[in-house]
Amino acid sequence: MTKEDLKRIKDEFGMHGVFHALEYSLINKISFYKELQGMIVTMQTLNPKYLQGNPNYEHRFLSVDEVKKYAADPETQLTEKFLERAFKKGDRCFAILDGDFLASYGWYSTRPTPINQDLVLYFDPQWVYMYKGYTHPRYRGQRLHAVGMAKALKAVTGEGFKGLISYVETNNFASLRSVYRMRYVNIGRVKIFRVMGKYKIQSDKGCAQYHFTVRPITNEQRG
């Protein structure tokens, strides 16, 4: 982490942010540690400017066949293994299309979802979990990731869901800045330690209302 990074963190998050960044880095030099800030956004809290988007783009969920077509381009970073797992869970891909070009996408799930090879995120299925956002390099700088989430939020709440639920690692200040601009609301943190190959997981009380927690992956889930 550079001096410029720390200065930027201090300017936006104060000295508390600087201390947290340094502490987070230090702990991970000793052992595995993750701290996830759980967040929700509803149509009531959303910053409405993100619903506007570019009128020349199309914003919608893709069909399975459409996803497979776009995945043929390695630039999309959609592997066959990922798609197999996502489709098996019933997850959906919300896309921003510039004509027939996939400019940006995000994935949406109502079922427990792995966050790495060992851990699975759980949450209340009345909420839709947003993960794996991606914007093509040519389209970056237009805040398409935020626009895509806002448009997907409108779509899923129209289907009867309460809103979107997600998380940001508490040392990822760029992503925190982005979701706070959208007016995501904090619901609590999940702290994950790994000691001698075993995980110890602590969830804040606020997470309980949303059944938001992390657990080690089961053999069935690996399959």
Side-chain angles (χ1 to χ4, degrees):
M1 186 172 296
T2 66
K3 290 182 179 180
E4 289 73 17
D5 292 331
L6 293 175
K7 183 180 183 305
R8 192 177 302 113
I9 293 169
K10 180 183 177 182
D11 291 343
E12 298 192 40
F13 295 90
M15 286 305 299
H16 174 76
V18 173
F19 291 142
H20 181 72
L22 293 172
E23 179 185 44
Y24 205 105
S25 177
L26 177 61
I27 294 174
N28 271 283
K29 288 179 181 178
I30 302 170
S31 180
F32 176 92
Y33 176 69
K34 279 185 179 293
E35 186 173 302
L36 313 182
Q37 178 63 65
M39 296 181 158
I40 59 169
V41 64
T42 67
M43 290 300 295
Q44 290 69 42
T45 66
L46 176 71
N47 185 336
K49 75 175 185 179
Y50 291 103
L51 284 170
Q52 297 172 11
N54 186 325
N56 296 319
Y57 296 163
E58 189 176 3
H59 309 77
R60 62 178 174 83
F61 282 109
L62 298 179
S63 69
V64 171
D65 287 341
E66 286 176 316
V67 174
K68 289 181 178 178
K69 179 188 75 171
Y70 288 117
D73 178 1
E75 181 65 46
T76 63
Q77 302 179 16
L78 293 170
T79 65
E80 184 176 338
K81 183 177 180 180
F82 169 81
L83 293 181
E84 181 181 0
R85 184 181 65 201
F87 291 146
K88 184 178 180 180
K89 289 169 68 263
D91 296 357
R92 296 185 292 171
C93 180
F94 192 91
I96 298 179
L97 302 171
D98 182 8
D100 196 39
F101 190 85
L102 181 60
S104 183
Y105 67 77
W107 283 82
Y108 295 83
S109 179
T110 58
R111 298 182 64 184
T113 301
I115 63 173
N116 65 19
Q117 63 182 3
D118 294 327
L119 300 168
V120 176
L121 181 75
Y122 289 80
F123 53 93
D124 185 337
Q126 295 181 84
W127 295 81
V128 179
Y129 171 55
M130 184 275 157
Y131 71 105
K132 195 173 174 61
Y134 173 80
T135 298
H136 189 279
R138 196 162 72 226
Y139 291 84
R140 291 174 187 170
Q142 301 181 45
R143 296 187 177 171
L144 296 190
H145 179 58
V147 170
M149 282 192 285
K151 297 280 191 179
L153 170 65
K154 184 176 181 180
V156 300
T157 53
E159 296 171 351
F161 293 98
K162 290 185 175 181
L164 300 183
I165 192 165
S166 195
Y167 74 83
V168 176
E169 277 199 68
T170 58
N171 69 331
N172 188 342
F173 293 97
S175 291
L176 287 171
R177 188 184 313 121
S178 176
V179 294
Y180 288 145
R181 277 197 301 257
M182 288 187 67
R183 298 179 190 161
Y184 267 79
V185 177
N186 294 341
I187 61 172
R189 294 183 177 185
V190 178
K191 298 179 180 180
I192 307 165
F193 304 85
R194 186 174 63 205
V195 180
M196 299 189 66
K198 293 187 177 181
Y199 287 99
K200 181 178 180 181
I201 299 168
Q202 300 174 347
S203 300
D204 288 348
K205 290 183 179 179
C207 297
Q209 178 182 346
Y210 303 91
H211 308 297
F212 187 85
T213 192
V214 172
R215 299 173 192 159
I217 198 166
T218 64
N219 290 331
E220 181 180 352
Q221 289 166 326
R222 289 186 192 279

